Every structure is written in C-alpha cells, then in structure tokens.
C-alpha cells in the first residue's frame, strides 16, 4: 500500500528542520505532504529545498491561513488524487512522536482506521496542565455520550485512514474546521460502519512555538457535537 503522511504547517520551520530527517529514517515506508498556509517564516521554502534531495517529501502551499480542518481536507484531496491507499494526519511539533507513527502505519494494514489514542491503556499526556487535561478528557467523554459510540479519544489529531473510508464519508460534506473537525471525521467513519482501532500514544506538549488551542476552538467543539450528530 502507498502511504502518505499529511502535516499542516504555519510558521513551523524549526520543527520541520528537526522532524523531516527523523521521519525519513523510520522503518515504515511512506511519503510526506506538508500543507503550508503561506508561512511568513519560510516553512514552505525550506520543505521545497529539502524535497530536492528527498523525493518522498512534497509540499502544497495554500494562499492563506484557513484553519486546520481545511488544511487536512486539501491534503486528503491531493493524496487521493495521487493514488495513495493510506492517508495519515500528523502534527509538525513532535507532540505526535515519530516512533508512534511507525506503529500506527503498521496497524493500518489490518484495520479501517487507526487513531493515536491518549485515553486507552498505555496512552497518556506529558507536560499538560490540569485545565487542559480536563478540557481534553471532558471533550472526548462529552462526544462519546452525545454521539453514542464508545471511542475513547474523539479529539486527537494523530489519525490514519484507508482511502476507501475517506471516499465513503464524503469529505466535501465535512462542515467542521476547528477542534471539532476530528470529531466529525471519526463520527462519519463509525456511522458508515467502519471500525476504529485505538493505538496508545504518549502525547507530549509541543516543543517549539505556540499551541493553537483556544477557548473559542473548545467552545465551538462543544456545541458542534450536536450539529455533527444531525448532519
């Protein structure tokens, strides 16, 4: 199977300088697509130069910052059109450990969807304050109750999809863009009868830069769970 890892970026040049060489050395074979929202710090230019010596790396530059969900949708569209069989979402900031990527890509060979889960046995978080833990765990519990599926980690963004799942759930109909984007994708997959395997991961707070989490994003997720159920 041809596998693609999609990494959205905005001002992530320092993280990409560290992450790309690590990814190229992993056991699993995959390509990387960096979806950059015209970062003023030169992230896209660095990736373009890196790609000249590493044919497995690609870059898709968008005209402006449009949100994480739209970045992933653009990456999914690019990957599906290029004929990839597996498409994986991954953060640029090492909060999603490359060692877990190897494990997730191995598991997708025998599952419809594999997600990196912080809330199953063996999973967890590092360097999180109590408020963020409450928000994250509460968001997943809330989603589990409202949406009616026993998934433990609804809000996590380290997710691996077979192409047939993404094609079936109608990506053009995805309405969420912020924190609730991951919830909507997972709900649509489950509603269409696909099985989601939760692989334990340790999620470490970002190494460089600022977290994109905000109160607005969190509040959006809480009310949009009800909208997602009605779609």
């Amino acid at each position: 199977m041809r596998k693609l890892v999609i990494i959205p970026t905005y001002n992530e040049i320092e993280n990409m300088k560290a992450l790309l060489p690590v990814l190229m050395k992993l056991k699993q074979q995959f390509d990387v697509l960096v979806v950059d929202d015209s970062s003023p710090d030169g992230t896209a230019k660095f990736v373009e130069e890196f790609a000249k010596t590493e044919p497995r790396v690609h870059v898709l530059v968008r005209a402006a910052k449009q949100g994480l969900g739209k970045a992933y949708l653009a990456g999914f569209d690019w990957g599906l059109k290029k004929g990839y069989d597996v498409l994986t979402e991954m953060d640029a900031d090492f909060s999603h450990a490359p060692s877990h990527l190897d494990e997730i890509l191995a598991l997708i060979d025998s599952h419809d969807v594999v997600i990196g889960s912080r809330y199953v046995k063996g999973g967890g978080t590092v360097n999180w304050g109590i408020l963020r833990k409450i928000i994250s765990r509460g968001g997943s519990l809330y989603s589990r109750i409202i949406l009616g599926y026993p998934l433990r980690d609804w809000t996590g963004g380290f997710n691996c999809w077979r192409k047939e799942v993404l094609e079936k759930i109608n990506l053009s109909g995805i309405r969420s863009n912020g924190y609730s984007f991951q919830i909507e994708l997972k709900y649509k997959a489950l509603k269409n009868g696909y099985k989601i395997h939760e692989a334990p991961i340790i999620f470490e707070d970002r190494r460089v830069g600022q977290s994109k989490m905000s109160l607005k994003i969190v509040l959006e997720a809480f009310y949009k769970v009800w909208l997602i159920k009605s779609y």
Side-chain angles (χ1 to χ4, degrees):
M1 289 193 293
R2 296 182 66 212
K3 300 176 180 179
L4 179 70
V5 175
I6 302 167
I7 306 174
T9 57
Y10 186 76
N11 287 345
E12 299 279 8
I13 187 169
E14 295 304 321
N15 282 318
M16 295 311 296
K17 285 179 179 179
L19 181 61
L20 287 176
V22 174
L23 294 182
M24 294 300 99
K25 294 176 182 177
L26 292 180
K27 181 179 179 181
Q28 285 285 324
Q29 287 297 302
F30 56 88
D31 288 1
V32 172
L33 174 67
V34 175
V35 181
D36 187 71
D37 283 359
S38 295
S39 298
D41 72 347
T43 299
K45 184 176 180 181
F46 165 75
V47 177
E48 288 168 352
E49 288 299 314
F50 188 93
K52 289 179 180 179
T53 58
E54 179 46 76
R56 290 194 290 145
V57 173
H58 312 273
V59 61
L60 174 63
V61 180
R62 302 197 304 157
K65 193 175 182 181
Q66 302 171 46
L68 188 64
K70 284 185 170 58
Y72 274 127
L73 289 176
F76 288 151
D77 182 66
W78 187 94
L80 291 171
K81 286 179 177 176
K82 296 290 185 180
Y84 288 93
D85 304 295
V86 170
L87 299 93
T88 302
E89 304 168 74
M90 185 179 187
D91 287 351
D93 59 13
F94 284 89
S95 55
H96 296 156
S99 59
H100 292 314
L101 178 61
D102 250 346
E103 298 161 6
I104 288 170
L105 288 177
L107 286 166
I108 197 64
D109 292 342
S110 54
H111 295 89
D112 298 326
V113 183
V114 178
I115 67 171
S117 180
R118 298 159 292 183
Y119 305 131
V120 294
K121 185 178 180 180
T125 59
V126 176
N127 297 329
W128 276 28
I130 186 65
L131 181 59
R132 188 172 180 187
K133 288 182 178 180
I134 291 172
I135 290 172
S136 181
R137 282 188 175 272
S140 282
L141 176 61
Y142 181 78
S143 299
R144 188 159 70 247
I145 293 169
I146 302 305
L147 300 177
Y149 290 96
L151 200 66
R152 304 293 298 181
D153 195 337
W154 282 90
T155 60
F158 200 2
N159 307 311
C160 186
W161 311 84
R162 283 179 175 263
K163 69 174 182 180
E164 52 266 33
V165 180
L166 295 176
E167 290 169 344
K168 180 67 175 180
I169 64 180
N170 183 25
L171 293 173
S172 63
I174 296 293
R175 305 184 191 185
S176 303
N177 190 34
Y179 197 56
S180 56
F181 174 77
Q182 306 297 353
I183 300 172
E184 185 173 351
L185 280 182
K186 292 167 187 174
Y187 178 64
K188 286 197 168 187
L190 291 165
K191 195 174 181 181
N192 278 281
Y194 293 106
K195 306 294 184 183
I196 297 181
H197 177 78
E198 296 192 72
I201 64 166
I202 302 298
F203 185 102
E204 184 175 359
D205 209 2
R206 61 186 293 121
R207 292 186 181 183
V208 178
Q210 296 181 338
S211 172
K212 298 175 178 63
M213 178 70 70
S214 69
L215 181 59
K216 179 183 177 182
I217 290 172
V218 173
L219 292 176
E220 175 199 35
F222 273 82
Y223 82 80
K224 278 205 169 179
V225 168
W226 290 96
L227 296 179
I228 289 168
K229 188 174 183 179
S230 68
Y231 291 163

